[in-house]
Amino acid sequence: MMTMTNKAWKTAGLVATIVIVVTIPLSLLLNRNAGQYAEPAPAFTGGKACIECHQKEYRLWKGSDHDSAMAVASDTSVVGDFNNTEFTVNGITTKFYKRGGRFYVYTQGIGGKMTEYRVAYTFGIRPLQQYLIPFENGKFQCLPIAWNTITHSWFHMAGMVYKPEDLKPDNWLYWTNQAQNWNSMCAECHSTNLQKNFDLKTKSYNTTWVDINVNCEACHGPGSAHIEWARLPEMGRPQDVNTGLEVKTSKITSRQYVETCAPCHARRSSFGPYDHAHSEFLSNAVPQMPTRPTYHIDGQFLDEDYEYGSFTQSKMYTKDVRCGDCHDPHSLKRKFEGNALCTQCHKAEEYDTYNHHLHKSKGETGNSFVNKRGEKIEVGAGALCRDCHMPGQYYMGVDKRYDHSIRIPRPDLSISLGTPNACINCHDDKTDQWALQWVNKWYGEKKKPHYGTMLAEALDGKEGADSGLLRIIYSNLYPDIIRATAIGLLSGYQSTKAIEAVKKSLNDPDPLLRLAAAENYMAADSAGLFKDLTPLLNDPVKAVRMEAANRLMTFPQSAFNDIQYKAFKNDLVEYLKSQEYVADFPSGRYNLGNYYSKLNDVAKAEENYKEAIAIDNLFFPAKTNLAMIYYKQGKTEQAAALFNDLVINHPDAMDGYYYLALLYGEQQKYTQAISLLEKATTKPACNARIYYNLGLLYQMTGQYAQCESTLVKGLTLDPGNFDVLYALFAFEMKQNNPVKAAPYIEQLKTWYPNDKQVEEMYQEFKRKV
């Protein structure tokens, strides 16, 4: 099959738009199919077909976590105690037992009613095993009570994982609801060639797989062509193919290797069933960016991240270290234990010494201690590279995972940013200041600047923080995933330099940066936006071209030429399919609502927003957009009800206060509107727009001092905001204060030098003054 290089697709984009752009290196190809041996496309055969020739790999894999990822519930696969056992939590007693060779559980189920359920499958093996319960419409749900294979006891997942949540039966996290649905949340990474097969109309599943567990073809791709290749005489085998396999695992870059693992080991949004033919991860899914709430602002993991988002931040990754350097790809075990894993590359005589880690080694005289989490910290733990540079955290209650961003402990950042550090991770009876004193004593007070500080300032809307974001974006010294994160945050600073930086990133060699730029690019006008985004309709990476099409949906067909429009329509089909694939998630339905809203299909938009809320009644973005549909249709009562719902049930979200205030303003309920906007200014997501509207309301009600000070606060948040600058200029002119008005018209002139309206205002001001 022929492939197209980036140069080729950019050329196609140039023909379509007659715009000169920077090309991308030829090494980044569309897919893995170049030179593919077998036609038609290879088929999945099942892992058993591989055993005969790959005995060594099979022995390593057998019994691994991949082998035990999922299994039919049986006496050999179930490790939990189903011998008429009882487990009580929160006054509810659950019973585990067997009958007729099958496994059953009697527990609180749908609507809180005590019900008997049959266990169909086991899920995972260590340090916990979960159990899958069949429901109607092809659904399987994860039982909330799991078996701890370390303590050999039952424990309740919700009690340990969702402690702040009151998990009543209508909560989306309750075990019979969508958040604990196996088909959508878990399945694609625990079986081979998983096809979710969600039916949008019936809301049912017909989920299938080739192998119930993670077998050979899960990583190597469909194996039929490889088997045909292997059956040929050795001298008759083609030499220009990857032995008939779609996924190359040798003679590849470290990035290609890591992206072989990423489809499962990244927290991500998938576009469909994993297609091994695509070499670019972003043609299968989009990873979660390393920022709040999934990560701490300095990139350390906070919620589950499955390693990819952490590892791609690390120096190891930038130095071409790959997963297989530390983990055997078949057994999944670490290649070496203790510090020997790290001293493969790092000199033991320099780093595996007291002079480096300044902690006692295992076997030396010292005292162990128990931390607040109940963990016993043995003598020698502080001398382990892993515990200082990859501090662990428990997920799913008992599963300790290690932060693969592999970083130096920074108590100074803990003090300034509130982020964790490895010192206090063990010595949790101490303070960050205590840790910093020791770090300064041992290693010196000088610290390298960290991108976490710059990202935090931008996330908090600090004036001037865009300069730090620009340094990150323009420097190859920072990981690409951090540069992409900076692009997302830069959208809050609409200066000329910021716009130019995002525009340049539209042509970055890394697809993650192109995607971030496509999502956040704001040109000076719609013509510029169209001109700069249309070349991306031919991007070789699905995520980029779909986002470009999504951003261009508001443009009429007449804006496109024939070549552009053909690419646009094809990309929209891809985008629609990608969102229908995840339509069993509230976010998928929400995106479908946005899709149909852009097409002015109000009925379908409303339907999908309602479905998103039905899946998760706390998913407030869908409530906001549904309320806006009602608002535009003049259904003010329905809109007000949803906005009030946001204010009551989502007090930290700004949208409810803001839009309800606008509605009250139109109804001339100025007192209520002002009160709501004043509350909105206290929210983390407060922006210049809130101060702008609040300032106008103060002006309308004759509160001129509050008007001026409020607009000035808005300008502090966004110095180049056109509306705020204009409002301040107009206000001062109405107050007969041309001296105060002058700086604002000058700033407008500086920020918008080519704007005709600004030029007319400027000339009128000069004539009057």
Side-chain angles (χ1 to χ4, degrees):
M1 182 182 293
M2 295 291 290
T3 63
M4 183 184 292
T5 64
N6 276 314
K7 185 173 182 180
W9 72 258
K10 275 297 181 184
T11 301
L14 292 173
V15 172
T17 61
I18 321 177
V19 175
I20 297 176
V21 295
V22 178
T23 59
I24 293 174
L26 294 170
S27 59
L28 198 154
L29 300 179
L30 272 172
N31 55 53
R32 292 190 176 102
N33 282 337
Q36 184 64 49
Y37 168 65
E39 290 292 347
F44 285 86
T45 62
K48 290 182 179 179
C50 308
I51 297 174
E52 181 181 352
C53 296
H54 297 284
Q55 285 285 326
K56 177 185 175 183
E57 290 79 8
Y58 172 74
R59 286 194 297 270
L60 287 167
W61 168 84
K62 190 65 178 174
S64 70
D65 286 0
H66 278 176
D67 179 22
S68 305
M70 184 172 168
V72 174
S74 67
D75 289 334
T76 56
S77 65
V78 172
V79 297
D81 186 356
F82 279 77
N83 188 27
N84 296 317
T85 307
E86 293 187 353
F87 174 76
T88 302
V89 63
N90 295 331
I92 304 298
T93 298
T94 296
K95 299 178 181 180
F96 300 89
Y97 49 94
K98 291 178 66 177
R99 187 174 66 241
R102 290 187 170 186
F103 296 81
Y104 291 89
V105 58
Y106 181 76
T107 191
Q108 188 180 50
I110 296 175
K113 182 181 178 181
M114 296 299 293
T115 309
E116 179 186 77
Y117 296 101
R118 177 176 63 86
V119 174
Y121 299 102
T122 62
F123 205 60
I125 187 65
R126 65 180 71 87
L128 71 155
Q129 186 176 72
Q130 292 179 270
Y131 301 95
L132 302 181
I133 308 297
F135 281 77
E136 61 181 6
N137 296 325
K139 292 182 179 181
F140 287 86
Q141 300 294 130
C142 297
L143 191 71
I145 302 171
W147 180 256
N148 184 331
T149 63
I150 299 173
T151 62
H152 303 290
S153 60
W154 293 106
F155 71 98
H156 200 287
M157 297 281 290
M160 300 184 74
V161 181
Y162 306 117
K163 289 181 181 179
E165 299 284 350
D166 182 15
L167 294 188
K168 295 180 180 178
D170 64 342
N171 191 303
W172 119 283
L173 292 170
Y174 185 77
W175 81 273
T176 60
N177 296 332
Q178 199 62 27
Q180 307 303 326
N181 173 251
W182 164 83
N183 310 72
S184 61
M185 297 295 293
C186 326
E188 65 183 9
C189 288
H190 279 250
S191 300
T192 302
N193 190 31
L194 195 287
Q195 303 292 316
K196 182 168 65 172
N197 294 329
F198 174 67
D199 189 297
L200 198 65
K201 294 180 180 179
T202 63
K203 302 174 191 174
S204 62
Y205 297 91
N206 182 26
T207 305
T208 64
W209 56 74
V210 169
D211 282 309
I212 195 172
N213 52 14
V214 180
N215 219 306
C216 312
E217 292 172 302
C219 301
H220 294 282
S224 64
H226 174 68
I227 292 173
E228 289 183 29
W229 176 90
R231 286 171 177 165
L232 293 172
E234 188 170 347
M235 296 300 293
R237 294 172 179 170
Q239 298 299 309
D240 62 341
V241 297
N242 183 40
T243 68
L245 286 173
E246 290 220 326
V247 181
K248 291 186 68 176
T249 54
S250 61
K251 297 180 181 179
I252 58 175
T253 67
S254 59
R255 172 176 170 168
Q256 289 172 319
Y257 191 106
V258 171
E259 291 197 353
T260 300
C261 306
C264 285
H265 285 275
R267 184 157 179 168
R268 70 214 173 276
S269 297
S270 299
F271 303 145
Y274 177 37
D275 184 354
H276 294 81
H278 290 294
S279 61
E280 279 290 349
F281 174 44
L282 264 70
S283 282
N284 281 295
V286 172
Q288 168 68 49
M289 291 292 98
T291 188
R292 300 168 185 160
T294 308
Y295 297 81
H296 292 284
I297 193 59
D298 67 344
Q300 294 186 74
F301 65 3
L302 176 57
D303 205 343
E304 295 181 82
D305 83 320
Y306 321 129
E307 284 87 41
Y308 174 84
S310 293
F311 186 59
T312 50
Q313 298 176 54
S314 71
K315 284 189 176 181
M316 306 298 110
Y317 178 69
T318 60
K319 297 294 183 181
D320 293 335
V321 174
R322 57 188 69 190
C323 314
D325 290 329
C326 296
H327 303 273
D328 182 274
H330 296 102
S331 71
L332 311 183
K333 295 178 180 178
R334 299 186 189 99
K335 288 190 170 181
F336 302 96
E337 291 304 317
N339 291 347
L341 193 68
C342 302
T343 55
Q344 291 181 94
C345 299
H346 299 277
K347 294 179 180 178
E349 60 271 22
E350 182 175 352
Y351 294 102
D352 195 9
T353 66
Y354 180 82
N355 287 336
H356 175 68
H357 52 67
L358 296 160
H359 283 73
K360 291 181 178 180
S361 296
K362 186 177 181 180
E364 293 185 332
T365 302
N367 296 318
S368 61
F369 65 94
V370 177
N371 63 21
K372 292 180 180 179
R373 297 188 299 273
E375 295 175 305
K376 186 176 183 180
I377 310 299
E378 300 283 2
V379 175
L384 290 173
C385 309
R386 181 190 66 190
D387 285 356
C388 282
H389 298 289
M390 301 177 65
Q393 185 168 318
Y394 286 94
Y395 297 102
M396 304 184 76
V398 299
D399 190 4
K400 189 172 186 179
R401 303 178 197 170
Y402 294 91
D403 191 335
H404 280 62
S405 59
I406 313 174
R407 58 184 68 228
I408 296 170
R410 292 289 298 267
D412 59 309
L413 294 181
S414 300
I415 293 170
S416 61
L417 301 178
T419 54
N421 66 81
C423 309
I424 302 304
N425 193 56
C426 282
H427 299 279
D428 58 4
D429 60 330
K430 306 297 183 182
T431 65
D432 294 325
Q433 190 62 49
W434 171 88
L436 180 59
Q437 288 174 354
W438 281 105
V439 168
N440 287 345
K441 179 181 178 179
W442 288 341
Y443 303 108
E445 296 188 7
K446 189 176 181 180
K447 305 288 187 298
K448 290 183 178 180
H450 195 277
Y451 55 76
T453 301
M454 292 180 273
L455 297 180
E457 290 177 347
L459 198 62
D460 293 339
K462 186 175 180 180
E463 183 180 359
D466 53 334
S467 61
L469 298 178
L470 290 170
R471 284 201 301 275
I472 293 173
I473 293 166
Y474 282 128
S475 175
N476 289 325
L477 297 177
Y478 293 101
D480 286 334
I481 197 168
I482 295 300
R483 294 171 65 208
T485 302
I487 290 172
L489 293 175
L490 192 62
S491 62
Y493 297 86
Q494 288 304 305
S495 65
T496 303
K497 289 182 179 179
I499 293 172
E500 184 61 28
V502 179
K503 181 178 179 180
K504 286 183 179 179
S505 299
L506 292 170
N507 301 300
D508 196 274
D510 190 279
L512 194 58
L513 271 75
R514 297 202 302 277
L515 174 61
E519 290 173 336
N520 294 284
Y521 180 52
M522 295 298 293
D525 52 38
S526 60
L529 184 72
F530 183 86
K531 172 185 172 184
D532 294 329
L533 288 183
T534 45
L536 295 183
L537 295 172
N538 296 288
D539 198 285
V541 177
K542 182 186 285 190
V544 180
R545 60 178 180 262
M546 288 196 308
E547 182 57 31
N550 184 35
R551 292 290 310 279
L552 293 170
M553 281 185 69
T554 55
F555 289 87
Q557 182 175 347
S558 59
F560 299 85
N561 63 36
D562 291 343
I563 299 174
Q564 291 171 340
Y565 193 68
K566 182 179 180 181
F568 170 71
K569 294 296 286 184
N570 289 339
D571 297 343
L572 269 191
V573 169
E574 287 186 317
Y575 178 77
L576 180 60
K577 287 182 178 179
S578 74
Q579 297 309 313
E580 288 179 341
Y581 179 75
V582 292
D584 47 351
F585 285 89
S587 57
R589 286 288 191 170
Y590 171 72
N591 288 334
L592 284 171
N594 295 341
Y595 172 87
Y596 287 113
S597 180
K598 290 177 181 178
L599 294 178
N600 294 317
D601 191 335
V602 176
K604 282 192 175 181
E606 181 179 349
E607 173 191 346
N608 280 284
Y609 290 140
K610 285 181 175 178
E611 288 293 343
I613 298 168
I615 296 171
D616 180 5
N617 61 10
L618 295 178
F619 189 73
F620 66 87
K623 294 180 181 180
T624 301
N625 286 15
L626 179 59
M628 292 303 296
I629 284 182
Y630 291 146
Y631 180 73
K632 291 176 182 177
Q633 292 178 323
K635 299 177 180 179
T636 55
E637 288 187 11
Q638 292 98 316
L642 281 167
F643 289 140
N644 270 303
D645 178 275
L646 289 169
V647 170
I648 295 169
N649 296 311
H650 309 278
D652 291 331
M654 177 269 297
D655 287 350
Y657 301 93
Y658 179 69
Y659 289 113
L660 186 57
L662 295 186
L663 181 60
Y664 283 159
E666 287 194 3
Q667 295 172 345
Q668 298 183 359
K669 298 177 181 178
Y670 298 133
T671 302
Q672 296 97 314
I674 288 172
S675 176
L676 286 165
L677 287 180
E678 286 175 341
K679 290 179 182 177
T681 62
T682 66
K683 303 303 172 184
C686 178
N687 54 47
R689 195 74 194 167
I690 294 171
Y691 284 105
Y692 168 75
N693 284 283
L694 180 57
L696 293 185
L697 283 170
Y698 281 140
Q699 185 175 8
M700 292 173 66
T701 54
Q703 302 177 67
Y704 298 127
Q706 292 94 324
C707 169
E708 184 177 20
S709 62
T710 299
L711 290 174
V712 169
K713 287 179 182 177
L715 194 62
T716 301
L717 280 180
D718 187 359
N721 188 288
F722 182 95
D723 291 333
V724 177
L725 282 168
Y726 176 80
L728 276 166
F729 171 69
F731 171 79
E732 299 297 354
M733 290 299 290
K734 287 179 181 179
Q735 299 300 310
N736 294 315
N737 287 323
V739 175
K740 280 191 171 184
Y744 300 124
I745 190 63
E746 292 290 346
Q747 288 179 57
L748 280 167
K749 181 75 171 168
T750 301
W751 282 94
Y752 305 96
N754 300 317
D755 190 287
K756 292 182 180 180
Q757 182 184 0
V758 171
E759 182 61 31
E760 290 173 0
M761 290 165 52
Y762 182 73
Q763 294 301 327
E764 180 66 20
F765 176 74
K766 287 177 64 178
R767 283 193 294 271
K768 285 185 176 181
V769 179

